[in-house]
Amino acid sequence: MSNFEKIKGLINAPFTPFYNDGEVNYEPIERYAKMLYKNGLKGVFINGSSGEGYMLTDEERIKLAEAWIKARPSKDFKIIVHVGSCALKSSKMLAKHAESIGADGIGAMAPPFPKIARIEELVLYCEGIANAAPSLPFYYYHIPAFNGAFLPMLELLKAVDGRIDNFAGIKYTFESIYEYNQCRLYKDGKYDMLHGQDETILPSLAMGGAEGGIGGTTNYNGINLVAILDAWKEGDLEKARELQNFSQDVINVIVNYRGNIVGGKRIMKLIGLDLGPNRVPFRNMTDEEEARMKQELDAINFFERCNKF
């Protein structure tokens, strides 16, 4: 395996800005990147689920990758590009492009169609993409709720070990902290296990060794999620608990409004960065829903604690 540096801190999964007609709006990305960096985020994982990646054309994904590279606010701000696609040929092309423009890594979730049901099928998919950009670390994005690929991740690590040289680790967005930790412990932490659920950052730290993660609510609540890691390092468990519980309060609001991709994206407008609507078939929030969500966020003093520009 190549000696890739493990990610420390939190990477953000940004939303894709759209105009009202559904076309991609590249203009806000520079301001977006500066805001994330200011609030302690260590980079972005673009064109993934939060970014509605499977609803973008290959050309749009290429342009977005180039826009984020151009907008990089610091040389140490990582740009990881999700290149997963139902068409492996597209994934390979996107991976090569990410490598050519100086991205820091690539990742891919299992395609929603055809449904991958065996470890060897998943290895072949990952292998094809990773080999297309051999100089970049490749992260498998484990989010079975989106694609039905409920496969054992420890078995995936065993299968890729010694076979995919640039397999760097897993973005683990699933409920089993036990499995997450077993993967983290595999061969004394050989692979980078990026925690992917903002609601359980503190438990993953408590089990020992979690250092990096990729989040979605970090778009607007990153300052508090980053502070959980800082409080843990300082040994302030009570502060870490308060920050984690507040972060769960925020999630308790967005689940009432179709989750992070819909509700969370509208929060960006409320904090000062309008990223436009979601693409069809997502059901966008109404003005009435926005007003109700703002009231619920006001009730937990969210706007006093959220990301700032």
Side-chain angles (χ1 to χ4, degrees):
M1 177 186 171
S2 300
N3 244 344
F4 294 121
E5 178 186 2
K6 290 188 176 180
I7 291 172
K8 292 179 173 61
L10 297 182
I11 302 287
N12 180 67
F15 304 110
T16 295
F18 294 116
Y19 291 109
N20 287 335
D21 64 1
E23 293 301 309
V24 177
N25 176 10
Y26 302 94
E27 188 277 329
I29 290 175
E30 183 178 1
R31 184 168 179 244
Y32 199 173
K34 288 179 179 177
M35 181 274 286
L36 295 171
Y37 183 65
K38 176 182 177 180
N39 288 276
L41 282 306
K42 302 300 184 183
V44 288
F45 181 65
I46 68 168
N47 297 344
S49 51
S50 294
E52 303 175 60
Y54 272 89
M55 299 153 75
L56 300 167
T57 67
D58 288 351
E59 181 182 7
E60 288 169 336
R61 294 169 76 168
I62 285 170
K63 288 182 177 179
L64 280 162
E66 292 172 351
W68 277 101
I69 290 288
K70 183 178 179 181
R72 191 196 302 259
S74 168
K75 64 180 181 180
D76 60 351
F77 188 84
K78 294 186 179 296
I79 311 291
I80 303 172
V81 183
H82 176 261
V83 298
S85 171
C86 291
L88 184 57
K89 184 176 180 180
S90 288
S91 291
K92 291 179 177 180
M93 180 270 293
L94 293 168
K96 289 177 182 177
H97 174 261
E99 186 178 48
S100 73
I101 63 173
D104 297 290
I106 54 172
M109 67 177 80
F113 179 85
K115 183 178 177 180
I116 289 180
R118 297 174 181 83
I119 287 292
E120 179 59 20
E121 294 169 356
L122 183 55
V123 173
L124 286 170
Y125 178 72
C126 293
E127 189 173 38
I129 299 170
N131 287 348
S135 72
L136 294 183
F138 171 85
Y139 298 89
Y140 173 61
Y141 180 8
H142 183 50
I143 184 165
F146 277 26
N147 49 34
F150 289 91
L151 295 170
M153 289 296 98
L154 185 58
E155 295 306 309
L156 175 64
L157 293 183
K158 292 176 181 178
V160 301
D161 195 358
R163 178 168 169 179
I164 304 177
D165 289 340
N166 57 330
F167 191 101
I170 298 173
K171 177 186 185 296
Y172 190 90
T173 308
F174 189 53
E175 287 73 25
S176 178
I177 296 178
Y178 167 74
E179 183 187 50
Y180 168 80
N181 202 48
Q182 291 297 295
C183 292
R184 191 191 61 77
L185 293 170
Y186 176 70
K187 289 198 173 179
D188 296 321
K190 179 175 182 177
Y191 291 102
D192 203 358
M193 292 299 299
L194 299 172
H195 185 265
Q197 287 197 310
D198 297 342
E199 56 267 46
T200 55
I201 288 177
L202 183 55
S204 74
L205 292 168
M207 291 189 80
E211 295 186 284
I214 301 177
T217 66
T218 44
N219 278 286
Y220 39 87
N221 195 45
I223 194 168
N224 291 287
L225 294 163
V226 168
I228 294 173
L229 275 65
D230 293 339
W232 178 259
K233 289 176 185 175
E234 294 163 3
D236 192 340
L237 182 57
E238 287 307 310
K239 182 178 180 181
R241 282 174 176 162
E242 190 280 327
L243 289 160
Q244 182 69 84
N245 289 334
F246 172 75
S247 299
Q248 290 183 339
D249 287 341
V250 174
I251 292 169
N252 289 341
V253 172
I254 64 169
V255 296
N256 297 326
Y257 301 96
R258 298 182 284 290
N260 182 58
I261 299 174
V262 176
K265 191 174 189 181
R266 187 64 67 94
I267 290 177
M268 299 302 290
K269 174 187 172 186
L270 296 176
I271 69 171
L273 186 66
D274 190 349
L275 300 176
N278 298 98
R279 274 191 170 169
V280 175
F282 282 110
R283 182 163 55 91
N284 281 285
M285 287 179 62
T286 64
D287 292 340
E288 292 77 13
E289 286 177 317
E290 180 185 312
R292 288 202 306 272
M293 183 173 71
K294 185 177 184 301
Q295 288 179 339
E296 292 178 35
L297 292 168
D298 277 328
I300 61 171
N301 297 315
F302 168 77
F303 296 103
E304 286 73 47
R305 301 181 61 166
C306 66
N307 287 356
K308 301 296 191 296
F309 287 90

